[in-house]
Amino acid sequence: MPDVVLEIVEPTEGTPQRTFRQKKSRFDSRGFTVEQVNNAHQLVVGDPVSEDLPHISKERRRILDALNPATGWTEWLAAYGGKKDAFSSGVRWLRKHEYVRQDEERGTWSPNQFTVEQARAA
């Protein structure tokens, strides 16, 4: 089993930049963007072509704040204390936007610290 699986995001037409998004990982990491320069790829420093982090609603923030590293679904739901439907849809959104990740082997959830810190700094 690989430590990380990346996928290439469909590039914007006419740009030499290619964004690699983390699809699966055993550890916290983010995707990155490279640019082809003189037949070689180099890392693009700074924000990729406008892949801003989406705004977290107050309810999703409550869900995220209730999560401790390596927490099971039931424990996390209990710590959140809100409605199950709101929790389920909030977790789906948080996972889609890389605020949380699931350890599929253990079935536990953890915040993606890098993404969370980026959102707080914004």
Side-chain angles (χ1 to χ4, degrees):
M1 179 183 218
D3 287 330
V4 66
V5 176
L6 298 171
E7 65 183 3
I8 301 174
V9 178
E10 188 68 35
T12 305
E13 196 169 319
T15 179
Q17 293 185 354
R18 301 296 180 263
T19 300
F20 292 80
R21 180 174 43 219
Q22 176 183 306
K23 188 171 183 178
K24 216 175 189 184
S25 176
R26 291 184 181 201
F27 51 87
D28 285 344
S29 71
R30 296 260 310 157
F32 56 94
T33 301
V34 295
E35 185 171 32
Q36 188 169 7
V37 177
N38 298 329
N39 250 0
H41 287 94
Q42 67 185 40
L43 188 62
V44 174
V45 181
D47 254 358
V49 185
S50 84
E51 196 177 318
D52 296 336
L53 292 171
H55 175 71
I56 297 181
S57 68
K58 288 181 182 181
E59 200 61 26
R60 290 178 185 140
R61 171 62 63 190
R62 276 189 58 217
I63 294 168
L64 183 59
D65 289 344
L67 177 62
N68 292 313
T71 302
W73 178 271
T74 307
E75 293 173 84
W76 186 13
L77 174 59
Y80 162 62
K83 293 182 180 178
K84 188 175 181 179
D85 289 343
F87 179 76
S88 296
S89 65
V91 170
R92 268 193 308 278
W93 187 92
L94 290 168
R95 185 177 191 185
K96 177 182 176 186
H97 297 287
E98 300 180 1
Y99 285 94
V100 299
R101 62 183 172 77
Q102 183 181 22
D103 181 330
E104 300 201 13
E105 288 179 8
R106 295 184 189 145
T108 58
W109 294 81
S110 296
N112 181 344
Q113 281 307 123
F114 183 81
T115 306
V116 172
E117 293 303 321
Q118 292 294 327
R120 287 184 181 146

